[in-house]
Each structure stands twice: as C-alpha cells, then as structure tokens.
Amino acid sequence: MKNTHSMKARSIPYLTGQIFDGMSSGLMMLALPWAMLSEVDRGPFVAMTALVCTIISFLTTPVSSTIIDRYSRKAILLATQAAKLTSALFILLLFSVDLGSVWLLAGFQLVLWVVNDIAWANHSAFIQENYQKSEYPKISGHREITMHSTSLITGVLGILLLEHWTMVQFSLLTSLLFALAQLCFWRTPYQRKVTGSEKRAFSSQILESKSVFMSSPRFFLFVLLSCLGYPMLTYLARLVPIYVSEIGISGTWFASWNMAFAIGGILMGFSINWILKRTAHEHAMTSSVLMLSALLFLISYQLSPTVLIALTVGIGFFNALNRVARTNLLHVTIPMNMRGRVDGGLKLFSTSAQGISYVIIALLSSYNVTNYGFLIAAIVMLIAGLGMLSLSRSQILSQSILSQ
C-alpha cells in the first residue's frame, strides 16, 4: 500500500526533528561527562558509568527490539522523545534548586544512552515502513547529511559552551530542542503497515529472533561482518585521543579528526543515491569494508597527525557507505514485522565486539604501543572484508529472507 503523502511531506518534518534531536542529544552527551569530571578524581566514575550504560543497553536490547516489532513505530518514536524531554526537564528542575549531584548526572546519562539506542533501532524500522523501496536511497542520503551536519554543529557548540555553561543552561537549551523535535515527529505523516502482532505472546516473539537468524546463516554472517564497522568507529574514537595525548600534541587534532570524519559522512550522503542506483548493496558493503582496511593500513604505515586527519575523511565516507548500504539491504530483504528483532540481534553482536575493542585499547595503552592499534583495526577489517567477499559470491545469499 502506497503512502498517500509525498516523500517531501514525510521527510521535511522527520529530518527537521532529527536535527533538533541530534543537537540536543549530542550536547547532553558532551555536557554530562564533562560536568561529572568537574569534580576531583571522577575519571574512574565516568568510565564505570559508560560501562554500566553499555551493559544495560545490551541487556535491554532483546526486549526493546521486540517492542519495535509489536507496536506503532511512530508511537515509539514519540515515546522515546518524550522520555528524553522529561529527563532534561527533571535535570533542569533539580539543578535550578541546587539539588543536583553527580549520581543524578550518571542516572540521566544512563536514561539518555538506553533511550537513544532504542530510538536509533526504531528509526531504521520506521523508515522501512514509512517509505517505498524506490525512496530508500534518497531518504538515507538526506538522513546521512542531516546527522553529520548536526554532529559538526554540535561539536562547535560544545567547544564554545562547555567551559562557560552550567547544567541549568544546558538542560534548558536541550529541553527546548527535545520539545521541538517532539513536535516535528508528531507532525510527520505515518502510515502503519505492521499490525496485529500485539495479540501474540511477547515471550514467543523474543524467542522467534533466533529462528530468524538461523533461517539464513550465510546472509546474516555477511551482515554481521559488515556490522564490525561500528565497533571499529567507537574503537578509533577512543584510540585517536589516546594517541594524540601520548605524542604530546594539541587536542585540536582530535577535534579535527572528528570534523574530518563528519565531512566524509556528508560527502557520502550527497552521493549515496547515485551509488546505490549503480551498485548492488552487497558490493557496496564489501568494497567499503575493504577500503576501510586499506585506509587503516596506510595510516598505520605512515602514522602522523596530518596523514591521520586526511585519510579519516575517507574512513568517514566508507564507514557511512557501509552502514547505509547495509541498512538499505535490510530494508529490502527483511520482512517489516521482523525488522526490530533483526536490528536488535545485530546490535548485540556489535556491542560485544565493542567491549572487546575497549580491552584491546587498554592493553595497548598499558604497554605503550598504542600506535599498533591502527594496524590491528586494519587486519580485523581485512579479514571481515575477505569473508564478506567470499559470502557475497553465493547466489542464494538473501533468497531465504526474501521468501519469508
């Protein structure tokens, strides 16, 4: 059934909402750890808070992904946004009357972390349901440009405001932005296509996730290898600042690394529609992972701040291309009523790999061989790319999914 509203009518409020939400979430995720670190010797506390957030997000994924497959995805979109807005207003109220504490900040970070994870998975399912197959590449490109442009704006604002603003000011601004995002999402036209699953037992839908992945192991192994791009990104986001600090150069280089990554993503956003019209999703994913490996090998071979920043534009481009091509492949192969649980299973794998990558960084740093971290990432991505290349040669890679 076609959506009766034009793509433009659906996209403008939706993408505008993502701009407001991205700015508010990004600012809060910068401000919260910064505020916690303003107290003496809070470094271990901040690290443990991030670890707890990751663990709880991991544990709640099977439940949240099943919820996405059972209920209206627009209702979930509005509910997650309402949770963010309520939390920001709660922080604003308590800090305004001097009742704030580091534990309150940690609790808010946990809420924001988990809710953002649920919202991210729900956005993919929402797009699959609310757009036509021919519209997927275009909305993906627009969303990519929106997200990375928002990241650039948030980074600049963070640099300007972190040193001067209090949590009262941050929570006031983010409450306003969250409210505007809520309004935009509410105004987004939506036609629900997945219905009736509320009548089934919740537990049976959670257990069904395993059978979904076992129905086509080659296809899902291919997708899982592609998913290593996300833990590779979070790995670099922690490896690069450690490398920068160890060689004794300014933190401006790390800020430049973030900007270079965002620029690569924006360039990809402008070209994704053209690429996916001429290249199969599987080929785009495989090529991207192999290119990421090649760029990381180049960085490890000629490791310098200038080379790192220059090649990171390429990493940003191909990391985004891999992710968007994978998302669009899932759009056209996974039945809508299974999408939330499939994304949840992929997230469990990515989060596990993410945890292992943090251990690797800790070991490298403790032995003062952080520079080898780039080589390790290159080797892992090469193995993943070669595995994907082998699997993609199968003509029946996604047939069993399409026949569900």
Side-chain angles (χ1 to χ4, degrees):
M1 185 184 297
K2 281 187 173 289
N3 198 311
T4 55
H5 294 88
S6 69
M7 182 179 176
K8 184 177 180 180
R10 281 171 281 141
S11 299
I12 290 178
Y14 177 65
L15 293 174
T16 304
Q18 289 223 306
I19 291 173
F20 290 133
D21 179 52
M23 288 181 62
S24 48
S25 295
L27 283 172
M28 266 302 183
M29 294 308 281
L30 282 173
L32 288 170
W34 185 267
M36 286 187 275
L37 287 168
S38 65
E39 297 189 21
V40 180
D41 297 328
R42 284 295 183 180
F45 180 83
V46 171
M48 288 303 298
T49 300
L51 177 61
V52 170
C53 289
T54 302
I55 292 172
I56 293 180
S57 179
F58 180 91
L59 295 175
T60 57
T61 292
V63 174
S64 62
S65 60
T66 304
I67 288 173
I68 292 170
D69 282 344
R70 284 176 69 88
Y71 303 110
S72 163
R73 285 151 184 177
K74 181 173 180 179
I76 296 170
L77 182 62
L78 295 174
T80 52
Q81 202 61 39
K84 297 178 191 179
L85 174 58
T86 302
S87 299
L89 289 171
F90 191 63
I91 290 287
L92 174 61
L93 175 63
L94 292 182
F95 273 82
S96 295
V97 294
D98 294 325
L99 291 178
S101 70
V102 69
W103 289 100
L104 181 64
L105 294 173
F108 182 43
Q109 179 169 309
L110 173 61
V111 170
L112 196 59
W113 192 301
V114 174
V115 171
N116 273 335
D117 278 354
I118 297 171
W120 177 264
N122 185 63
H123 276 297
S124 295
F126 178 85
I127 288 174
Q128 182 185 14
E129 189 175 18
N130 208 35
Y131 289 86
Q132 303 299 319
K133 181 178 178 180
S134 60
E135 298 171 334
Y136 292 150
K138 193 171 184 180
I139 184 61
S140 296
H142 291 166
R143 190 173 177 228
E144 205 66 25
I145 295 167
T146 297
M147 289 191 302
H148 286 290
S149 298
T150 303
S151 296
L152 283 175
I153 295 170
T154 302
V156 173
L157 285 175
I159 292 171
L160 294 175
L161 302 178
L162 278 178
E163 294 284 353
H164 307 289
W165 274 24
T166 66
M167 279 308 301
V168 172
Q169 292 166 305
F170 269 110
S171 56
L172 178 61
L173 175 60
T174 54
S175 295
L176 174 62
L177 293 173
F178 279 137
L180 290 172
Q182 179 83 330
L183 177 62
C184 291
F185 290 143
W186 177 71
R187 294 285 298 170
T188 300
Y190 170 71
Q191 181 173 297
R192 190 177 180 190
K193 300 174 186 175
V194 178
T195 58
S197 59
E198 298 95 329
K199 299 176 183 178
R200 298 178 55 198
F202 193 91
S203 57
S204 69
Q205 280 194 284
I206 292 181
L207 296 175
E208 191 181 58
S209 303
K210 180 180 178 181
S211 63
V212 173
F213 279 86
M214 294 304 295
S215 66
S216 186
R218 289 178 65 88
F219 173 80
F220 282 111
L221 178 57
F222 176 85
V223 175
L224 286 171
L225 289 173
S226 165
C227 285
L228 286 172
Y230 176 71
M232 183 274 295
L233 168 59
T234 57
Y235 170 85
L236 290 178
R238 283 149 184 81
L239 183 71
V240 171
I242 293 174
Y243 163 73
V244 167
S245 64
E246 285 181 351
I247 65 175
I249 61 176
S250 168
T252 303
W253 284 99
F254 178 54
S256 300
W257 179 83
N258 279 285
M259 292 183 66
F261 187 88
I263 290 169
I266 292 172
L267 292 174
M268 195 288 306
F270 280 112
S271 55
I272 186 63
N273 193 38
W274 184 88
I275 293 173
L276 291 186
K277 282 183 177 179
R278 291 161 176 80
T279 309
H281 297 98
E282 294 93 332
H283 295 160
M285 293 159 66
T286 304
S287 300
S288 295
V289 172
L290 289 172
M291 283 301 300
L292 287 171
S293 174
L295 290 168
L296 287 165
F297 272 118
L298 287 172
I299 290 172
S300 65
Y301 176 74
Q302 187 63 46
L303 189 54
S304 71
T306 304
V307 171
L308 176 62
I309 301 304
L311 295 184
T312 293
V313 175
I315 290 177
F317 182 95
F318 288 108
N319 184 73
L321 176 57
N322 173 46
R323 174 169 46 78
V324 173
R326 179 176 66 247
T327 300
N328 281 272
L329 175 65
L330 297 179
H331 285 339
V332 299
T333 54
I334 304 298
M336 288 184 190
N337 63 338
M338 297 180 180
R339 183 57 186 275
R341 285 164 292 167
V342 168
D343 281 342
L346 299 178
K347 183 193 164 192
L348 291 176
F349 172 78
S350 295
T351 306
S352 301
Q354 194 176 3
I356 295 172
S357 74
Y358 295 160
V359 174
I360 292 173
I361 291 175
L363 290 173
L364 291 172
S365 181
S366 64
Y367 287 103
N368 296 317
V369 287
T370 305
N371 54 305
Y372 286 108
F374 298 98
L375 178 61
I376 292 173
I379 293 171
V380 170
M381 296 310 290
L382 177 61
I383 294 172
L386 292 176
M388 292 171 66
L389 186 62
S390 175
L391 289 166
S392 66
R393 288 173 177 167
S394 170
Q395 296 298 313
I396 58 172
L397 187 61
S398 59
Q399 276 184 355
S400 61
I401 299 296
L402 287 165
S403 63
Q404 291 285 330

